[in-house]
Each structure stands twice: as structure tokens, then as C-alpha cells.
Amino acid sequence: KKKTNTRGFLPFSFSFSSVHTHTAMRAFVLVALVAAAATASTLFEENFSAGWEDRWVQSEHSSDYGKFVGSAGKYYGDAEKDKGIKTSQDAKFYALSGKFDKFSNDGKDLVVQFSVKHEQNIDCGGGYVKLFPSTLDQKDMHGDSVYNIMFGPDICGPGTRKVHVIFHYKGKNLDNKKSITCKADEDAHLYTLIVKPDNTYEVRIDNEKVESGSLYEDWDFLPPKKINDPAQSKPSDWVDEKTIADPDDKKPEDWDKPEHIPDPEASKPEDWDDEMDGEWEPPMIDNPEYKGEWQPKQIPNPAYKGEWVHPQIDNPDYKDDPKLYSYGDFGALGFDLWQVKSGTIFDNVLITDSVAEAEAAAADFKKRQEGAAEMKKAEEEKKKAEDEKKKAEEEAKKKAEEEEKKKDEEEEEEDDSAAPKDEL
């Protein structure tokens, strides 16, 4: 007789097949993960190692562009891995780009990631990158060169500290309607943009999500689905005043008082001459009894119909675009920016279709940043110790000088007291 399993599990006689099924499922999931990893690809990566100058092209659109130089900065976790490119000249535009194999993000995640270190305590300047199509003329790249996406921090004084996420769509550059605050300190920070095929996005700073949402909602890619019906207008007899003056309310008889009255405590000066100075008049002061202009009290309007709402219709110009996220041609990344005070270091550039790959790079970046923080702390402690030592030495020197001076004064007094006095 078969036993009933009251807990809802298969009877013991089926346990072996369950194990085999579970094992098969695990194997299937593992194969799927391996396949997914195999299809994920690094589309562009640049850590500015030796020879970076040969991989990047300086624009010649202007002869006055600023120069990038290799540098790991004052503090770093790894002297080689933390080398990036640094803006080196104040009050300059910069225009540098690197090309890679053309690709499209259609049907895939797009992940753009790079680090920015404003080591100079930036006052005004950009820290963003632009993703261009493969048709970019690198030698002629400039501020009006057409790009697909612009992403990264932008700072100008305390009023502008934002992360740009700008998409080029049908001839227009569309900025995010949300305000995303960037970091404004002197440490390196990792900026990540993730754009997904379902038309959603996410922005991370140091691998922590700071904003996310829908491309439909957070940018004006498309016209509104609904518009006001142009054939409709508010009826002329529509009453939208919530309240009216109470017709039964009457102004009190003693309401009207002058706003200013003669100062009752003032008196004509004794030396006032009416013939010379004219007729004396006391100065005016605010009337404490003045109540202002009388207004009848308000009561609910019995004719009020509510706020008129314009009827809406489908917008004939609206056409959905399920591929707002998609670009058919990516082929270059560029730094096209302006800085008042130079010293920003860019590094750890990565474009991939794998969020996991970007997260792995972010974990490595975090470890190096911890090393940079330790180096900075050690330098600060060293400087503090040196300053304290210098201060102690200066105080000791000052004290010795004061004691020497006091000793000289005492010896001088003793010499004066020992000397014979002049006889009268």
C-alpha cells in the first residue's frame, strides 16, 4: 500500500529521480551561465598603460587645446595601475579621443564606466566622456561633433555639481530631467552608466546606485501621448472662482482712519521763525488705529464649478519607439571638455555589455582606492608630525632666546650695581 506524504513532498520511492532532476537543472543553469559569460564582451578598455599616446588622437580643430599627461596623482594604491591621463594646463579646452571596433548595443546592455579624480580641488570644469559613432574624424573633433551619449560629472562653483546623462536622438541632445549630484572632493570616483534593452537605465558612483528609471519618463525623447483638444476651450460661463465677497458684509462705520497722523508729542522748536521758516507743521507718524483698506470677507461661491480641465485627445504626432536605448554605431570615446583649473585625472575606462564585468572592475578599483586612502593618511600624519616637530623646535628656540636675553639683562644689572658711583 502506497503511503501518503502529508507534507507535499514526493514519496521516498521517487527521491532518486528527484535528485537526478535537480542535478540536471543545476547543470542546465551552469551551462546557461557559462554561455552568457561567453557572449559577454569587453567592447573597449583603457587603463592608460605605456604607449597610450599612440592609441589616442589629439584633435587639431584648434591649435590651443590643452595637453593631457600621464600621472597617477599624489596618492595611489598602485603606482602603475593607477596611472591615468591628467589635464595639465589651466583655462583650456581639451579634445582627445580613442577609437575601437564598431559595435551596436541593440538587444544588449550597454555599460560605460570610468574614474575621475579632481585632485586640484576643481572650481569649474567638465569630467565627462562622449561616446561617438565610428565616423568621428578624430583630428577634427570639437564641441559640436555629433555624439551618441555624453556621461559624467560637471562642476562649476557650488551651484553646478551634476552628473550629465545626455542622449543624442533625432538631431537633438537630450539631458536627463532628473538632477544627479556628482562628487566634488579630491578623491578618485568611479562613474557607471548602465542602459538596458527594456529602455531603463541606472547611474552608479563607486558602484553604488544613485539614480535609475525609464528612458521614456526621464528624457523627452518622444512627444506626449496625449495633447489638449484644440477644438475645445473653456466655456465663457464657466465659473472657477472658489470664493466670492460676502454681499451681506458691511464696512464698520469707524473703519476709515488715516494711515499717518501728526506726532502728538512733537512741538514747535523755540527758534522756529514762521516768517523765515514758514508755518510749522508737526512730523507725521504711523497711525496705530489705521486698519488698511477694508475688504469684505470671502464666502464659498455657490456658482463654482471646479477647475476646468482641458479635454485631451491622442497626439497624432506620437509614435512609440521601443528602441530608444539602441545605437547602431559606436566607434570612439572622447574627452571633449573645458577646465578652468587643471589637474583632473581620468582612468579605468571600460565599455562592456556585461554588468558583472563592470562590477568586477569596480571591486578592483575599490581596493586600489583603499590603498590610496592609506597613502594619503600616512602622508597627512607624516606632515602633521613634521609640523609639530617644527613648531616644537621654534618654541624651544624662542624660549632659549628669551632665557639668553633674560640672562644678559640680569648680568647687565649686576655689572651696573657693582660699578663705583660717581662722586658729586
Side-chain angles (χ1 to χ4, degrees), residues 289-318:
E289 296 183 0
Y290 176 69
K291 300 177 181 179
E293 183 181 355
W294 182 81
Q295 297 286 347
K297 67 181 180 181
Q298 297 287 302
I299 61 173
N301 186 355
Y304 176 64
K305 295 183 179 181
E307 183 179 353
W308 186 75
V309 179
H310 202 128
Q312 294 206 314
I313 60 172
D314 291 337
N315 186 354
D317 295 328
Y318 177 81

Side-chain angles (χ1 to χ4, degrees), residues 68-69 84-88 115-122 125-128 337 339 341-346:
F68 282 99
V69 296
I85 54 172
K86 182 176 76 170
T87 56
S88 66
S115 65
V116 182
K117 179 161 60 171
H118 294 307
E119 204 169 54
Q120 76 279 39
N121 188 21
I122 191 168
Y128 41 80
L337 43 87
Q339 288 197 340
K341 188 192 296 183
S342 63
T344 298
I345 299 174
F346 297 93

Side-chain angles (χ1 to χ4, degrees), residues 29 87 92 149 159 192 216 355 395 400 414:
V29 171
T87 56
K92 292 284 187 179
I149 298 174
T192 309
Y216 286 108
V355 175
E395 289 178 349
E414 290 178 0

